[in-house]
Amino acid sequence: MERTASVNAEPLQRPDLNVVGICTQWRNWSGFWLLGLCNNFAYVVMLSAAHDILNKQESRNGTASTSATMAVEFQGGNSSNSSRYDCNPVSTAAVLLADILPTLAIKLSAPFVIHRLPYGFRVLFCAVMAATSFLLVSFSSAVWMSILGVIFASIGAGLGELSFLSLTVYFSRDVLGGWGSGTGGAGVAGALLYSALTQIGLTPQVTLLTMLVVPVVMLLSYFFLLVLPPSLPQWRGREAEYAAVSSEDRRALMDGSEEEEEQEKSTPAEDRTAGPLAFTEKLHVIKGLLRFVLPLGLVYFAEYFINQGLMELLYFPKLFLSHAEQYRWYQTLYQVGVLVSRSSLCCVKIRNLWALALLQVVNAVLLLFAVRFLFLPSAWVVFVIVLYEGLLGGAAYVNTFYFISKETGDRHREFAMAAASVGDSLGISVAGLIAFPVHRYFCSL
């Protein structure tokens, strides 16, 4: 009995798709675009929003020291330091670690047990976590509440990423392009929307409350926009589904003829094997994923070493932009690069992931020497490099999961997509740890 026939099923005759088929494709692509946008949106917005509210709380309580510790972006011209880099007292890597470690913990553990939780409940949980994070930070009356809100956003984003990547195996592989583009758009849209709403006079609290529409859009996209296939375990776990399928298979075998039995014997073992993956089988899949996860992790290590360890030190005092404005433009251009490359899967596919990793490492080494020896003539050169950095990072992400989906067997694909999602988070975490001493060294010069 073909239980997973629709898993990553590519349309056999694309030119002959009827109107219904085309409509279904667009609904699924758009649904995954919105899911990618909504899943990463709270994670992107939480940092700046939480720190705005922390600054307000601290100004009310007169505790400026905590404000300096929790600052995520430059406030420009730090008068308390004499470093030529105009350093903040604490590297932005501190906040990076606070955000990424909950996500990393989820991605390391969840793939081994998440199959017990049906997709419908996972999506509900992610939406609740995002809404809770907005409410906690918006109504926070203490530092710990704001931090807890950021952690909730991180947990929801981590679980959402591995769940939605696994979900793509039940649809045409085209939806990976929609997911990648949506996650890339979250960085740009989140930062711009939050800045725009606060710029027109809304308080951070009111701005966050208006963003409660984001988890609602996530739920609507999943439950009403996507055309969910019958094989999807929506409200019951894998064990119940496998038990039902096995019972049907036994009845079919008992009633079948000898010819059908011979045909069953000729079926490949991978297609005949039913039931959840054993732990040893999962370890075997993880071993095969290293050729994808290692270059992805290296890309993101180099990428976030630049973003959180070096970017704040690339300051050009003679430019018409302030230190804070230069840093914001670095981050904005990086997010634009990520958006463009994560949306490029329909146009270009890159199989050589190690080449992308090597190019990103070259970027990191170049900017490391630029910070140390100050040989770059202008911030405009850095703008171009940072845009290029975002292009490499986005391309590595979307192509990694495209080729995992394409080259992994049907039985292992769902687990593989979830397990491989740890690659970027692991690289980001290591980058955050290394950025601390690097920041301290340069600020002591």
Side-chain angles (χ1 to χ4, degrees):
M1 180 175 180
E2 296 183 0
R3 183 181 56 84
T4 58
S6 63
V7 175
N8 259 162
E10 295 283 3
L12 297 178
Q13 295 179 331
R14 286 181 181 272
D16 299 329
L17 286 176
N18 56 27
V19 175
V20 175
I22 295 174
C23 180
T24 298
Q25 279 189 300
W26 274 106
R27 284 180 60 182
N28 289 335
W29 195 96
S30 302
F32 272 95
W33 190 91
L34 287 171
L35 289 173
L37 180 73
C38 296
N39 186 70
N40 286 23
F41 197 88
Y43 181 76
V44 169
V45 169
M46 273 300 102
L47 278 180
S48 54
H51 301 313
D52 280 345
I53 292 176
L54 281 173
N55 289 336
K56 182 177 180 180
Q57 293 167 356
E58 287 149 2
S59 64
R60 184 189 306 137
N61 298 328
T63 56
S65 60
T66 306
S67 176
T69 302
M70 293 300 297
V72 66
E73 61 181 27
F74 296 123
Q75 301 304 315
N78 187 355
S79 60
S80 65
N81 80 82
S82 57
S83 169
R84 61 181 175 174
Y85 298 104
D86 190 33
C87 293
N88 276 323
V90 176
S91 168
T92 53
V95 177
L96 173 69
L97 286 176
D99 286 337
I100 199 62
L101 290 179
T103 295
L104 178 63
I106 289 291
K107 290 183 177 181
L108 284 172
S109 58
F112 293 95
V113 296
I114 197 66
H115 63 278
R116 300 177 183 273
L117 187 64
Y119 279 98
F121 292 116
R122 296 191 215 178
V123 176
L124 288 174
F125 179 80
C126 292
V128 169
M129 294 295 285
T132 303
S133 68
F134 285 132
L135 291 171
L136 271 176
V137 178
S138 179
F139 292 111
S140 63
S141 57
V143 171
W144 67 267
M145 288 183 66
S146 294
I147 296 175
L148 188 61
V150 175
I151 292 174
F152 275 28
S154 178
I155 293 173
L159 182 63
E161 182 177 14
L162 66 90
S163 295
F164 292 130
L165 282 170
S166 297
L167 182 66
T168 62
V169 308
Y170 291 92
F171 298 85
S172 167
R173 208 167 279 122
D174 296 338
V175 300
L176 278 170
W179 165 262
S181 179
T183 56
V188 178
L192 289 180
L193 183 59
Y194 181 81
S195 298
L197 291 177
T198 53
Q199 191 69 35
I200 64 176
L202 295 181
T203 64
Q205 291 90 336
V206 174
T207 300
L208 282 174
L209 290 177
T210 63
M211 292 185 180
L212 285 171
V213 69
V214 173
V216 175
V217 173
M218 174 186 285
L219 294 175
L220 293 175
S221 300
Y222 177 78
F223 289 106
F224 297 101
L225 184 56
L226 289 182
V227 182
L228 300 175
S231 60
L232 180 71
Q234 174 76 307
W235 297 114
R236 64 177 183 175
R238 282 290 188 203
E239 284 78 3
E241 181 184 352
Y242 286 130
V245 172
S246 298
S247 177
E248 293 175 6
D249 285 343
R250 283 194 296 270
R251 286 196 299 269
L253 285 174
M254 287 179 4
D255 296 336
S257 64
E258 291 183 2
E259 181 180 350
E260 291 173 329
E261 290 179 3
E262 288 298 324
Q263 184 177 358
E264 179 70 18
K265 289 178 181 180
S266 66
T267 304
E270 181 179 340
D271 295 335
R272 288 189 286 110
T273 304
L277 298 179
F279 182 75
T280 54
E281 197 172 359
K282 291 179 179 180
L283 293 180
H284 180 74
V285 174
I286 290 174
K287 182 179 179 181
L289 289 175
L290 292 179
R291 59 196 173 108
F292 297 104
V293 173
L294 291 180
L296 179 65
L298 185 58
V299 167
Y300 273 83
F301 163 74
E303 190 170 323
Y304 277 81
F305 178 73
I306 294 171
N307 291 356
Q308 309 305 136
L310 303 178
M311 204 175 278
E312 58 182 310
L313 304 175
L314 292 164
Y315 173 47
F316 295 85
K318 296 182 180 180
L319 192 68
F320 67 92
L321 297 172
S322 68
H323 197 173
E325 290 169 337
Q326 289 179 41
Y327 182 76
R328 292 191 194 104
W329 272 109
Y330 292 154
Q331 295 288 354
T332 301
L333 288 171
Y334 161 76
Q335 295 290 357
V336 170
V338 171
L339 170 61
V340 171
S341 58
R342 287 196 181 190
S343 304
S344 66
L345 194 59
C346 60
C347 303
V348 59
K349 297 174 180 63
I350 303 173
R351 180 62 183 82
N352 193 343
L353 302 175
W354 282 109
L356 297 175
L358 178 61
L359 291 172
Q360 197 72 292
V361 170
V362 170
N363 275 346
V365 172
L366 172 64
L367 293 179
L368 177 63
F369 279 97
V371 169
R372 179 63 183 88
F373 298 106
L374 303 176
F375 59 79
L376 291 180
S378 169
W380 298 103
V381 178
V382 182
F383 289 156
V384 173
I385 295 175
V386 167
L387 178 63
Y388 172 59
E389 172 208 348
L391 291 171
L392 290 176
Y397 179 91
V398 74
N399 281 281
T400 292
F401 289 103
Y402 175 81
F403 283 103
I404 289 175
S405 174
K406 185 176 181 180
E407 298 178 13
T408 306
D410 288 353
R411 174 168 163 77
H412 300 147
R413 187 177 296 128
E414 188 175 1
F415 171 77
M417 295 291 281
S421 67
V422 75
D424 57 347
S425 298
L426 190 60
I428 294 170
S429 300
V430 175
L433 291 172
I434 294 180
F436 270 119
V438 171
H439 179 272
R440 185 176 296 113
Y441 168 74
F442 283 116
C443 289
S444 67
L445 296 178

